[in-house]
């Protein structure tokens, strides 16, 4: 049997497709009539992370921790405040996405596409599916006229929709069908990397599996790499090869999915896992649930030292809350060639509880 495009990509030396280094995205906080800047929201605050060719890398964390902002910076929907995003092009050359402009930026935006969360608000109600899915083909100068129509019809078929729907408007479709349209719009220009931002979170549970299966099939067919953003650890466990856990703009831990779920090494990962609902009621309330105190701190004023220390059940006063002492174990929370990384002072001494994945149905 011949190798699929994905097999070829996975075999190409393991060099990262994307290498995110020290990326920060800060938003100004403005007040008053004159809109004076009075502070900065540190939505993403120094992220090191590699995305390997052909993998699905999950990005998880509570709402507001910076997942969407990091995904947008990676896809250059917005420009990072600091840091570099090294992207390995198909010809092997590496470019820093953070510095791209003009034609080079347009070219990159064809290769890296975003699928947004909300299938209702992300589709223009006044455009037909042909216009919606055909728009990137036209704007990137790839096809026009009947060729464009043929490509859109073919793409509709690939995402499981009939080409007869070409001239219909989004309101005629269900949430799952609209998300198929979103996916078609992202993939019609044949990207290499897709940032899928909570692609099934707004959908009924009954259609989630169908959309996840579609994403998996399209990954094989087109040899795609996914950065899969989600707050839902059950979904991430079912689709991701590796997982990065994000907290208040930083990466807390990165590991292969099975490793991370069975043996978390960061207290925040343990807390997230302990909150995953179990299908079997006997497995609930075994006393393992780690309740997180309070809400996520304000990203305009992150706690000093380890930013998780205000909620961490294992925090050591005088160690974890010391300013200028970032919680790093070995290398910064940065993963290279199978080494997992953890941003916690106490990672080597703590014995944390994971999930027995055989508990899942
Ligand atoms: N355009 C923006 N202007 C100001 N603050 C923003 C903007 N976008 C996001 N934020 C803030 O940045 C933080 C991270 O947001 P976001 O990336 O959407 O998190 P997540 O996707 O993990 O829920 C939040 O505190 C959010 O309010
Ligand atoms: S460094 Fe300290 S506060 Fe931070 S996660 Fe580790 S134990 Fe908890
Ligand atoms: Mg988000």
């Amino acid at each position: 049997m011949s190798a699929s495009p994905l097999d070829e990509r996975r075999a190409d030396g393991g060099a990262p497709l994307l290498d995110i280094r020290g990326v920060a995205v800060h938003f100004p906080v403005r007040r008053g009539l004159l809109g004076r800047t009075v502070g900065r929201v540190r939505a993403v605050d120094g992220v090191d992370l590699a995305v390997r060719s052909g993998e699905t890398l999950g990005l998880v964390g509570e709402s507001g921790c910076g997942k969407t902002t990091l995904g947008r910076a990676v896809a250059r929907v917005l420009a990072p405040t600091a840091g570099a995003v090294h992207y390995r092009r198909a010809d092997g050359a590496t470019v820093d996405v953070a510095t791209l402009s003009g034609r080079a930026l347009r070219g990159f935006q064809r290769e890296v596409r975003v699928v947004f969360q909300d299938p209702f608000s992300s589709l223009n109600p006044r455009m037909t599916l042909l216009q919606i899915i055909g728009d990137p083909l036209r704007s990137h100068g790839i096809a026009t006229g009947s060729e464009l129509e043929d490509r859109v019809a073919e793409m509709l078929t690939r995402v499981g929709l009939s080409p007869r729907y070409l001239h219909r408007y989004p309101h005629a479709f269900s949430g799952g069908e609209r998300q198929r349209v979103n996916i078609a719009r992202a993939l019609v220009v044949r990207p290499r990397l897709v940032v899928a931002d909570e692609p099934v979170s707004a959908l009924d549970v009954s259609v989630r599996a169908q959309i996840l299966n579609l994403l998996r099939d399209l990954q094989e067919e087109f040899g795609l790499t996914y950065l899969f953003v989600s707050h839902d650890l059950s979904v991430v466990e079912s689709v991701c090869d590796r997982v990065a856990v994000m907290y208040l703009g930083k990466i807390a831990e990165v590991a292969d999915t099975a490793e991370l779920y069975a043996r978390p090494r960061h207290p925040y990962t343990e807390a997230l896992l302990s909150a995953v609902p179990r299908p079997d009621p006997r497995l609930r309330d075994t006393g393992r649930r780690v309740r997180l105190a309070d809400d996520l701190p304000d990203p305009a004023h992150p706690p000093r030292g380890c930013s998780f220390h205000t909620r961490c059940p294992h925090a050591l006063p005088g160690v974890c809350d010391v300013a200028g002492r970032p919680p790093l174990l070995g290398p910064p929370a940065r993963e290279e060639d199978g080494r997992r990384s953890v941003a916690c002072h106490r990672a080597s001494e703590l014995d944390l509880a994971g999930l027995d994945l055989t508990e899942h149905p």
Side-chain angles (χ1 to χ4, degrees):
M1 211 174 85
S2 66
S4 73
L6 202 59
D7 291 335
E8 283 165 28
R9 290 221 177 161
R10 283 175 177 153
D12 79 351
L17 182 64
L18 263 188
D19 197 5
I20 302 164
R21 298 204 176 199
V23 163
V25 182
H26 296 172
F27 296 110
V29 181
R30 296 187 205 280
R31 291 270 153 72
L33 275 178
L34 300 177
R36 266 195 322 126
T37 301
V38 295
R40 292 183 302 167
V41 177
R42 298 163 172 270
V44 175
D45 204 18
V47 164
D48 291 322
L49 190 63
V51 185
R52 299 173 186 161
S53 235
E55 78 171 342
T56 299
L57 175 63
L59 186 61
V60 301
E62 287 161 283
S63 176
C65 73
K67 303 179 299 294
T68 292
T69 306
L70 180 60
R72 287 172 170 244
V74 161
R76 257 313 292 278
V77 177
L78 54 80
T81 313
V85 180
H86 300 292
Y87 171 68
R88 194 160 48 85
R89 291 197 322 222
D91 64 7
T94 300
V95 291
D96 179 4
V97 172
T99 64
L100 293 178
S101 62
R103 268 175 68 113
L105 179 58
R106 298 281 301 146
F108 171 78
Q109 286 169 339
R110 177 180 166 177
E111 294 186 21
V112 177
R113 310 276 301 165
V114 185
V115 173
F116 295 102
Q117 168 174 359
D118 188 348
F120 294 92
S121 65
S122 56
L123 299 177
N124 186 334
R126 282 180 293 277
M127 287 165 76
T128 63
L129 300 200
L130 174 62
Q131 291 169 318
I132 290 169
I133 301 168
D135 184 58
L137 287 172
R138 192 177 298 112
S139 67
H140 284 281
I142 297 168
T144 54
S146 62
E147 191 195 343
L148 183 143
E149 192 162 327
D150 289 347
R151 287 212 192 193
V152 173
E154 187 203 338
M155 201 64 231
L156 275 177
T157 310
R158 299 265 178 118
V159 299
L161 293 174
S162 166
R164 288 185 288 112
Y165 297 160
L166 269 179
H167 301 287
R168 295 204 192 163
Y169 292 87
H171 68 79
F173 298 97
S174 68
E177 287 167 332
R178 289 179 199 212
Q179 202 55 315
R180 289 176 193 267
V181 174
N182 255 326
I183 292 167
R185 177 173 60 180
L187 296 195
V188 75
V189 294
R190 297 286 189 270
R192 298 173 72 217
L193 174 72
V194 173
V195 176
D197 190 356
E198 309 265 12
V200 298
S201 302
L203 301 179
D204 287 347
V205 174
S206 57
V207 294
R208 282 185 191 174
Q210 295 168 15
I211 298 297
L212 293 174
N213 284 334
L214 173 67
L215 286 169
R216 208 185 336 241
D217 291 348
L218 293 168
Q219 178 174 44
E220 283 293 332
E221 187 175 348
F222 296 127
L224 293 168
T225 303
Y226 286 143
L227 179 61
F228 190 97
V229 174
S230 179
H231 69 278
D232 184 333
L233 276 102
S234 303
V235 167
V236 165
E237 193 265 316
S238 68
V239 298
C240 296
D241 302 306
R242 290 192 310 139
V243 179
V245 179
M246 194 164 182
Y247 186 77
L248 220 56
K250 294 186 160 69
I251 302 296
E253 177 167 14
V254 186
D256 288 343
T257 306
E259 250 320 280
L260 186 110
Y261 280 65
R263 282 173 290 280
R265 294 187 64 199
H266 195 286
Y268 181 56
T269 314
E270 180 190 49
L272 286 180
L273 289 175
S274 78
V276 172
R278 309 295 167 75
D280 182 343
R282 287 167 307 165
L283 296 169
R284 289 196 193 127
D285 291 326
T286 52
R288 297 190 331 168
R289 188 175 169 122
V290 184
R291 288 196 191 280
L292 286 176
D294 307 323
D295 291 335
L296 199 65
D298 178 1
H301 304 283
R304 64 187 178 186
C306 171
S307 51
F308 188 51
H309 87 257
T310 53
R311 301 167 83 197
C312 178
H314 306 285
L316 274 186
V319 176
C320 301
D321 54 0
V322 178
R325 190 171 170 185
L328 305 175
L329 173 81
R334 166 173 187 76
E335 228 256 355
E336 285 164 22
D337 293 312
R339 273 176 24 207
R340 60 189 295 179
S341 60
V342 188
C344 169
H345 291 301
R346 306 193 62 197
S348 56
E349 54 175 302
L350 294 174
D351 184 18
L352 304 178
L355 275 187
D356 179 354
L357 294 179
T358 55
E359 290 172 9
H360 284 271

